[in-house]
Amino acid sequence: MKILRIYASIDASQEFDMAKLPARVVQDEGRVVVFQDFTGGLSAAEIQNVAHNLVDNIAKLYDHLRQWARQNGKDANKVTDAVKASHSLQ
């Protein structure tokens, strides 16, 4: 279930439909300025909430995996060893 929450957090933090992120073009004498708003209409608080949920879910993955291993008769130290051996997991 935890991994599904992580995927949900990742899905909530990305947008691939660029129509939802329109650019604004401002033009005057001799220059053109393009503003691209990547907020997707979200407020600063909503963006922070999405980011915090994603970080929180990823941060808790290590403990969740160790607990899962113990509850399923696996060696929880293998989770620790895997994390220690991988810069990406750290």
Side-chain angles (χ1 to χ4, degrees), residues 25-81:
V25 179
V26 178
Q27 188 171 359
D28 65 12
E29 298 174 16
R31 66 181 176 167
V32 176
V33 179
V34 179
F35 294 95
Q36 185 69 51
D37 179 6
F38 290 101
T39 65
L42 297 175
S43 69
E46 290 168 324
I47 292 170
Q48 288 177 355
N49 190 44
V50 168
H52 284 278
N53 283 335
L54 178 59
V55 170
D56 184 59
N57 283 325
I58 292 171
K60 291 178 179 175
L61 181 60
Y62 172 76
D63 291 331
H64 174 75
L65 291 174
R66 285 187 49 84
Q67 180 182 4
W68 179 91
R70 284 191 299 274
Q71 290 174 345
N72 289 278
K74 309 294 182 190
D75 183 1
N77 290 325
K78 287 188 177 185
V79 173
T80 301
D81 294 343

Side-chain angles (χ1 to χ4, degrees), residues 10 13 15 20 23-24 30 35 37 39 75 78 86:
I10 292 169
S13 68
E15 180 58 65
K20 293 181 180 178
R24 192 177 81 190
F35 294 95
D37 179 6
T39 65
D75 183 1
K78 287 188 177 185
S86 170

